Amino acid sequence: LVVLVNANESAAQRVAEKIRERCENTPIRLEGKSINFTVSMGAFTSCSPNILGEELIGMADKNLYSAKKMGRNRVLDTSI
């Protein structure tokens, strides 16, 4: 979970895409092997200050699985 304070929709999308691209292009080295991996994530464009941490994590988890169902290795942008 990454929280960007005072970030607008475009900034949140850029940060999420940068993280996704960095993961895709940076293999993990394990026991002498190079392992490629990808990530899927949700980028929230706004969030009420009244949302509890558990709710925020639940929304992120829901978006993660939605992004994976859409084909993996992507950022799902949603407004709350």
Side-chain angles (χ1 to χ4, degrees):
L1 177 61
V2 177
V3 177
L4 305 172
V5 179
N6 297 324
N8 63 22
E9 178 178 348
S10 128
Q13 186 71 24
R14 278 193 315 270
V15 169
E17 272 299 321
K18 193 171 194 174
I19 293 169
R20 187 199 62 75
E21 288 174 0
R22 179 72 58 97
C23 290
E24 180 180 37
N25 296 319
T26 308
I28 295 173
R29 306 232 184 271
L30 182 64
E31 297 179 4
K33 295 180 182 179
S34 181
I35 302 169
N36 294 322
F37 71 102
T38 61
V39 296
S40 296
M41 63 186 85
F44 300 112
T45 56
S46 63
C47 183
S48 166
N50 299 327
I51 292 179
L52 299 174
E54 293 86 10
E55 292 174 285
L56 189 59
I57 291 169
M59 289 183 284
D61 190 54
K62 179 181 173 187
N63 278 355
L64 165 67
Y65 285 101
S66 293
K68 285 184 176 194
K69 285 180 185 176
M70 294 173 65
R72 299 184 182 230
N73 194 27
R74 67 180 60 237
V75 173
L76 180 63
D77 187 14
T78 58
S79 296
I80 312 172

